[in-house]
mmCIF file of all heavy atoms in Angstrom:
data_model
loop_
_atom_site.group_PDB
_atom_site.id
_atom_site.type_symbol
_atom_site.label_atom_id
_atom_site.label_comp_id
_atom_site.label_asym_id
_atom_site.label_seq_id
_atom_site.Cartn_x
_atom_site.Cartn_y
_atom_site.Cartn_z
ATOM 1 N N LEU A 40 43.626 -10.388 71.726
ATOM 2 C CA LEU A 40 43.415 -10.865 70.348
ATOM 3 C C LEU A 40 44.688 -10.642 69.481
ATOM 4 O O LEU A 40 45.433 -9.689 69.765
ATOM 5 C CB LEU A 40 42.291 -10.036 69.688
ATOM 6 C CG LEU A 40 40.890 -10.203 70.311
ATOM 7 C CD1 LEU A 40 39.933 -9.204 69.746
ATOM 8 C CD2 LEU A 40 40.420 -11.645 69.990
ATOM 9 N N PRO A 41 44.911 -11.513 68.532
ATOM 10 C CA PRO A 41 46.115 -11.309 67.693
ATOM 11 C C PRO A 41 46.029 -9.916 66.996
ATOM 12 O O PRO A 41 44.952 -9.422 66.707
ATOM 13 C CB PRO A 41 45.900 -12.470 66.634
ATOM 14 C CG PRO A 41 45.051 -13.459 67.305
ATOM 15 C CD PRO A 41 44.148 -12.706 68.210
ATOM 16 N N GLY A 42 47.222 -9.356 66.781
ATOM 17 C CA GLY A 42 47.288 -8.061 66.081
ATOM 18 C C GLY A 42 47.252 -6.897 67.044
ATOM 19 O O GLY A 42 47.542 -5.729 66.663
ATOM 20 N N GLN A 43 46.862 -7.103 68.337
ATOM 21 C CA GLN A 43 46.782 -5.976 69.227
ATOM 22 C C GLN A 43 48.200 -5.545 69.657
ATOM 23 O O GLN A 43 49.127 -6.345 69.603
ATOM 24 C CB GLN A 43 46.024 -6.390 70.526
ATOM 25 C CG GLN A 43 44.507 -6.561 70.224
ATOM 26 C CD GLN A 43 43.731 -6.987 71.462
ATOM 27 O OE1 GLN A 43 44.178 -7.742 72.247
ATOM 28 N NE2 GLN A 43 42.478 -6.412 71.536
ATOM 29 N N ALA A 44 48.289 -4.318 70.126
ATOM 30 C CA ALA A 44 49.510 -3.844 70.829
ATOM 31 C C ALA A 44 49.290 -4.180 72.290
ATOM 32 O O ALA A 44 48.213 -4.005 72.767
ATOM 33 C CB ALA A 44 49.687 -2.336 70.640
ATOM 34 N N TRP A 45 50.353 -4.652 72.951
ATOM 35 C CA TRP A 45 50.184 -5.121 74.346
ATOM 36 C C TRP A 45 50.937 -4.145 75.289
ATOM 37 O O TRP A 45 52.168 -4.024 75.140
ATOM 38 C CB TRP A 45 50.712 -6.562 74.469
ATOM 39 C CG TRP A 45 50.688 -7.066 75.878
ATOM 40 C CD1 TRP A 45 50.010 -6.642 76.938
ATOM 41 C CD2 TRP A 45 51.464 -8.158 76.338
ATOM 42 N NE1 TRP A 45 50.289 -7.418 78.027
ATOM 43 C CE2 TRP A 45 51.141 -8.332 77.739
ATOM 44 C CE3 TRP A 45 52.397 -9.033 75.740
ATOM 45 C CZ2 TRP A 45 51.780 -9.346 78.481
ATOM 46 C CZ3 TRP A 45 52.999 -10.036 76.543
ATOM 47 C CH2 TRP A 45 52.668 -10.177 77.889
ATOM 48 N N ILE A 46 50.225 -3.446 76.164
ATOM 49 C CA ILE A 46 50.815 -2.628 77.162
ATOM 50 C C ILE A 46 51.071 -3.432 78.470
ATOM 51 O O ILE A 46 50.116 -4.052 78.950
ATOM 52 C CB ILE A 46 49.962 -1.389 77.528
ATOM 53 C CG1 ILE A 46 49.450 -0.647 76.258
ATOM 54 C CG2 ILE A 46 50.664 -0.500 78.492
ATOM 55 C CD1 ILE A 46 48.428 0.423 76.579
ATOM 56 N N SER A 47 52.274 -3.402 78.938
ATOM 57 C CA SER A 47 52.594 -4.124 80.182
ATOM 58 C C SER A 47 53.738 -3.477 80.883
ATOM 59 O O SER A 47 54.478 -2.634 80.306
ATOM 60 C CB SER A 47 53.011 -5.600 79.808
ATOM 61 O OG SER A 47 53.284 -6.311 80.978
ATOM 62 N N ILE A 48 53.929 -3.823 82.140
ATOM 63 C CA ILE A 48 55.158 -3.417 82.865
ATOM 64 C C ILE A 48 56.003 -4.604 83.180
ATOM 65 O O ILE A 48 57.030 -4.530 83.860
ATOM 66 C CB ILE A 48 54.775 -2.648 84.197
ATOM 67 C CG1 ILE A 48 53.796 -3.493 85.003
ATOM 68 C CG2 ILE A 48 54.289 -1.249 83.907
ATOM 69 C CD1 ILE A 48 53.738 -3.115 86.464
ATOM 70 N N GLN A 49 55.597 -5.775 82.625
ATOM 71 C CA GLN A 49 56.421 -6.988 82.785
ATOM 72 C C GLN A 49 57.624 -6.919 81.843
ATOM 73 O O GLN A 49 57.464 -6.651 80.654
ATOM 74 C CB GLN A 49 55.630 -8.238 82.449
ATOM 75 C CG GLN A 49 54.569 -8.612 83.496
ATOM 76 C CD GLN A 49 55.181 -9.316 84.713
ATOM 77 O OE1 GLN A 49 56.318 -9.671 84.716
ATOM 78 N NE2 GLN A 49 54.327 -9.464 85.737
ATOM 79 N N VAL A 50 58.798 -7.152 82.376
ATOM 80 C CA VAL A 50 60.031 -7.081 81.508
ATOM 81 C C VAL A 50 60.938 -8.302 81.725
ATOM 82 O O VAL A 50 61.815 -8.295 82.559
ATOM 83 C CB VAL A 50 60.812 -5.744 81.796
ATOM 84 C CG1 VAL A 50 60.217 -4.637 81.002
ATOM 85 C CG2 VAL A 50 60.886 -5.409 83.264
ATOM 86 N N HIS A 51 60.609 -9.350 80.980
ATOM 87 C CA HIS A 51 61.471 -10.552 81.046
ATOM 88 C C HIS A 51 61.142 -11.345 79.787
ATOM 89 O O HIS A 51 60.275 -11.070 79.033
ATOM 90 C CB HIS A 51 61.303 -11.381 82.315
ATOM 91 C CG HIS A 51 59.883 -11.656 82.629
ATOM 92 N ND1 HIS A 51 59.185 -12.752 82.051
ATOM 93 C CD2 HIS A 51 59.011 -11.088 83.460
ATOM 94 C CE1 HIS A 51 57.958 -12.749 82.542
ATOM 95 N NE2 HIS A 51 57.828 -11.770 83.405
ATOM 96 N N LEU A 52 61.901 -12.433 79.558
ATOM 97 C CA LEU A 52 61.784 -13.168 78.314
ATOM 98 C C LEU A 52 60.379 -13.789 78.094
ATOM 99 O O LEU A 52 59.997 -13.945 76.915
ATOM 100 C CB LEU A 52 62.841 -14.268 78.288
ATOM 101 C CG LEU A 52 64.228 -13.825 78.017
ATOM 102 C CD1 LEU A 52 65.224 -15.044 78.082
ATOM 103 C CD2 LEU A 52 64.411 -13.104 76.706
ATOM 104 N N ASN A 53 59.689 -14.114 79.153
ATOM 105 C CA ASN A 53 58.405 -14.758 78.979
ATOM 106 C C ASN A 53 57.402 -13.795 78.303
ATOM 107 O O ASN A 53 56.461 -14.288 77.686
ATOM 108 C CB ASN A 53 57.847 -15.215 80.333
ATOM 109 C CG ASN A 53 58.309 -16.583 80.603
ATOM 110 O OD1 ASN A 53 57.835 -17.531 80.013
ATOM 111 N ND2 ASN A 53 59.327 -16.724 81.469
ATOM 112 N N VAL A 54 57.609 -12.536 78.518
ATOM 113 C CA VAL A 54 56.687 -11.552 77.899
ATOM 114 C C VAL A 54 56.866 -11.638 76.369
ATOM 115 O O VAL A 54 55.868 -11.566 75.630
ATOM 116 C CB VAL A 54 57.039 -10.147 78.403
ATOM 117 C CG1 VAL A 54 56.201 -9.096 77.740
ATOM 118 C CG2 VAL A 54 56.884 -10.056 79.931
ATOM 119 N N VAL A 55 58.137 -11.798 75.890
ATOM 120 C CA VAL A 55 58.321 -11.944 74.503
ATOM 121 C C VAL A 55 57.650 -13.219 73.983
ATOM 122 O O VAL A 55 56.966 -13.244 72.938
ATOM 123 C CB VAL A 55 59.855 -11.952 74.158
ATOM 124 C CG1 VAL A 55 60.129 -12.160 72.665
ATOM 125 C CG2 VAL A 55 60.487 -10.627 74.598
ATOM 126 N N ALA A 56 57.770 -14.276 74.784
ATOM 127 C CA ALA A 56 57.173 -15.596 74.359
ATOM 128 C C ALA A 56 55.675 -15.433 74.207
ATOM 129 O O ALA A 56 55.089 -15.868 73.222
ATOM 130 C CB ALA A 56 57.505 -16.684 75.408
#
Side-chain angles (χ1 to χ4, degrees):
Chain A
L40 294 170
Q43 289 180 322
W45 176 20
I46 307 171
S47 181
I48 50 163
Q49 287 281 352
V50 277
H51 51 81
L52 286 178
N53 271 286
V54 177
V55 177

